[in-house]
Amino acid sequence: VKFNNCAGNKGVRYETNSLDFKVRADGTLYAAHHLQVPSKQLILVVTAWDPQTLGRWEAMVRFLVAEKSQHNGHKPKGRKALPGELVQQQSDTLLPWRQHQSANGLRRQKRDWVIPPINVPENSRGPFPQQLVRIRSDKDKEIHIRYSITGVGADQPPMEVFNIDPVSGRMYVTRPMDREERASYHLRAHAVDMNGNKVENPIDLYIYVIDMNDNRPEFINQVYNGSVDEGSKPGTYVMTVTANDADDGTTANGMVRYRIVTQTPQSPSQNMFTINSETGDIVTVAAGLDREKVQQYIVIVQATDMEGNLNYGLSNTATAIITVTDVNDNPPEFTTSTVRDAGWWNAEQPQKGVRTSVVITRDLTRAGSRSWGGMGLPTTTCTHSHSSFSQPKGPREKIQHFAAIISAVDYEMNRAFMLTVMVSNQAPLASGIQMSFQSTAGVTISVTDVNEAPYFPTNHKLIRLEEGVPTGTVLTTFSAVDPDRFMQQAVRYSKLSDPANWLNINATNGQITTAAVLDRESDYIKNNVYEATFLAADNGIPPASGTGTLQIYLIDINDNAPELLPKEAQICEKPNLNVINITAADADIDPNVGPFVFELPSVPSAVRKNWTITRLNGDYAQLSLRIMYLEAGVYDVPIIVTDSGNPPLYNTSVIKVKVCPCDENGDCTTIGAVAAAGLGTGAIIAILICIIILLTMVLLFVVWMKRREKERHTKQLLIDPEDDVRDNILKYDEEGGGEEDQDYDLSQLQQPETMDHVLNKTPGVRRVDERPIGAEPQYPIRPVIPHPGDIGDFINEGLRAADNDPTAPPYDSLLVFDYEGSGSTAGSVSSLNSSSSGDQDYDYLNDWGPRFKKLADMYGGGEED
């Protein structure tokens, strides 16, 4: 066997789990003596361990036992099996079922092997599945055999940690192991034929998880507190710290050792304490503990596994706080035997702890310790039981003890108190101190009358009632008492704190009524209790006031219906793949909550046809498909949830279920997720309505634009529409011009494309009907929207400008009042000549319709026209 510990294998030793075999230092495995191996295969476990690091490594070795020849050294007949083939066939295969053939051909009784344990290291990195071993029966040459394993880790929780190939018999581990979760597994291997009949007896497989050092020691407490008396001898026990390691405690991985890392302060020595490395007990190791010099030590303790090896082990630390306690070596004493109240304020007060007088003692022992001069719990002899003494104040050389009132005093009954006080140690003096352990003194206390605040006899006052009481309900009377019996004072009540503004209080008698409905489920309720604070004030000089707290415990009633959870889910379109776990949330408490009843409504009928609910327990149920297939999409499934209140309340909640195609694992496929993300009928209708509205708006916009374009190209007429003949003249044919029009060119009606023919003419030669070149007069600009009162002025100005225009044509020409654009598609109108062949009958124009009525009136009137 070959081994490498990354350190040159120095000092590594080998051993086996069998006494019949040994391993040399070079890794050679040999038989310790002559032995007979009865089986065809032998399995050994070889262990390599390092005495210095205590590390251990194991490997499994399988031997194949070859059969000896029975005929004087001759090899058996038949095909020779190559060594490589034999190793490849047997190296990872266990034959737990042995069959022996006798000489006469009869089969002996079958004997099963005892399979050695299979070791699997924890936290393996894989890859997974990782093969552990292969098991097979020698009957697989005759029939087809199917292998299986059962037990915890296979078919019992945790499931599928191990699996086996049913055909080849190879056994695998499917994931990393954790020894702290489970240290071993016991499985059984089975071999059956194709019909399920048992071929071999089941065999036991034991799998052990090899521990790795993967857990640090953990201290039970992060901070430990202990104490030790000053002057203690070396070896005095102080405290114990404990750390636990989750690794295997039988190996070095779980063996914890302790040590002290630091000590603060390092006075009088840096090693005042030591710790037992195995038990964690901290004891003193040096003398010289003095509370007056060092009152506390902070010790950092480290716990390391691997038996304390700092190179390979994992460590953790904790803090130990060691307090040096005082011993009683100084008795207390009063500085004076009589104390009067001159110069001190004294008043009748019902509150505890009000200082009224002072006495002075001396005690060099630390104040507050059990060895100190005892004024925390003094032995006092008094003429009245209203006073006590407080804890001391001041330095040890001059300790002040204040007399304090422990109950209300009454000025009218007692104006002064005479007290006798005694001070003593709670613990006896240390041995060797020859002094009295107590001292006495007299104290006189005077009482001064003051205005005392009213107080509520019951504070806090608790009442119980059901939630939901109506507004104006009287809850209780919360009244206060004024301790000043001889003062004629009135007490007035008011609210000091009412977070929800639910209560009212009568200012004179303290009667509490509701101002709103009390709701236990409100955010102002803590643990079913609503708390309000009220103020009681008197009219003394100066005024005094006291507070009282009213606690209202609200008893729950069933006033909240349950709500279904979750609101959305997804499921496969075919049943038996997955289900939806549903539950309910109720703002009420027991008994007005669960168990809940989940049911589907009968209307619409498709709900119960497509879906079904299976009850799991009082709080949970499962929603699944009833039918074999449901088309992918989003479905609103109403579910009625009823609680267990009296009377019960129910609520119909809708859960949005996305039905989608799924893969073999029950997860929605990408295509299925897209297909299931369809819209509902309401959403589709809303989208269609939006599209129709948008198209209508576009159509109206186009119509409006066309109408505006038409209005822009159409000129507003300045004459009556009845006299407008432009739309009534249609060009049907060119009939030629009249006598007056034959000698004139009316091209001035058009905007010439070019002025070359005019500019190239000889100066002085010009046709009378041509537009001369020169400055043109400025015609009045036509307003976009002319005012009716300006029409006459506009026409007169245009006529006056035309009369003075030298460029205007002299005959039947239209005046240019505005630029109409270049070119004309109508061509010249100079060819419209009048007929010279006599009169023509235009009566037929009357038959052409209303568009030719104006033309018929102009030409069809006869001689008189």
Side-chain angles (χ1 to χ4, degrees), residues 597-795:
V597 177
F598 303 89
E599 57 184 345
L600 295 173
S602 58
V603 177
S605 60
V607 176
R608 292 193 175 183
K609 177 181 178 181
N610 297 336
W611 305 90
T612 182
I613 292 180
T614 304
R615 179 184 177 92
L616 295 179
N617 52 38
D619 296 329
Y620 291 90
Q622 289 182 341
L623 177 66
S624 58
L625 288 174
R626 179 187 293 272
I627 59 178
M628 297 304 297
Y629 174 80
L630 185 62
E631 184 180 357
V634 179
Y635 295 84
D636 291 339
V637 181
I639 297 178
I640 302 175
V641 186
T642 307
D643 58 22
S644 299
N646 186 19
L649 296 180
Y650 69 91
N651 182 30
T652 301
S653 301
V654 176
I655 178 174
K656 287 186 175 296
V657 181
K658 181 174 71 173
V659 180
C660 59
C662 298
D663 53 18
E664 61 275 5
N665 297 324
D667 299 326
C668 274
T669 60
T670 303
I671 300 177
V674 175
L679 299 176
T681 304
I684 294 176
I685 293 175
I687 292 175
L688 291 178
I689 292 175
C690 292
I691 292 175
I692 292 174
I693 294 174
L694 181 61
L695 292 177
T696 303
M697 293 176 64
V698 172
L699 182 60
L700 291 176
F701 180 75
V702 171
V703 172
W704 178 76
M705 289 297 295
K706 287 185 175 294
R707 182 175 180 181
R708 183 180 178 185
E709 184 71 17
K710 183 177 179 181
E711 291 178 354
R712 189 170 63 85
H713 289 289
T714 302
K715 295 295 181 180
Q716 295 290 339
L717 295 178
L718 300 179
I719 61 177
D720 186 43
E722 293 295 333
D723 299 331
D724 186 10
V725 298
R726 288 181 298 174
D727 291 340
N728 297 330
I729 301 176
L730 298 178
K731 179 182 176 182
Y732 286 91
D733 199 1
E734 294 185 2
E735 299 293 341
E739 293 86 357
E740 297 86 1
D741 300 334
Q742 290 181 358
D743 298 332
Y744 301 100
D745 182 8
L746 301 182
S747 61
Q748 296 298 327
L749 296 177
Q750 306 179 12
Q751 177 68 26
E753 296 291 343
T754 178
M755 299 294 293
D756 294 341
H757 67 285
V758 178
L759 297 176
N760 294 333
K761 284 187 178 183
T762 305
V765 180
R766 182 173 64 86
R767 292 176 53 181
V768 296
D769 58 346
E770 284 186 332
R771 183 176 183 178
I773 302 301
E776 298 181 358
Q778 295 296 323
Y779 287 86
I781 300 175
R782 180 181 179 182
V784 179
I785 304 178
H787 192 274
D790 299 335
I791 294 178
D793 296 339
F794 176 78
I795 294 176

Side-chain angles (χ1 to χ4, degrees), residues 97 135 148-150 164 187-191 201-205:
W97 299 286
I135 59 176
S148 62
I149 55 175
T150 59
I164 189 172
L187 304 177
R188 305 203 76 189
H190 306 269
N201 292 328
I203 61 169
D204 294 320
L205 298 176

Side-chain angles (χ1 to χ4, degrees), residues 42-90:
L42 181 63
I43 300 177
L44 298 178
V45 177
V46 180
T47 302
W49 64 283
D50 191 342
Q52 296 180 354
T53 64
L54 301 180
R56 300 178 68 89
W57 299 267
E58 294 182 351
M60 184 177 293
V61 180
R62 297 183 177 88
F63 289 100
L64 300 178
V65 182
E67 295 182 358
K68 294 183 178 181
S69 176
Q70 302 296 329
H71 301 285
N72 299 323
H74 294 286
K75 296 181 180 180
K77 296 180 180 180
R79 186 178 67 87
K80 178 180 179 181
L82 298 177
E85 297 178 0
L86 185 60
V87 173
Q88 183 177 4
Q89 178 183 358
Q90 300 290 344

Side-chain angles (χ1 to χ4, degrees), residues 839-849 852-853 855-863 865:
D839 296 334
Q840 186 175 353
D841 185 10
Y842 295 100
D843 293 337
Y844 61 86
L845 295 177
N846 295 321
D847 301 331
W848 285 8
F852 296 92
K853 184 176 183 301
L855 188 60
D857 294 339
M858 294 172 60
Y859 291 91
E863 294 292 338
D865 293 336

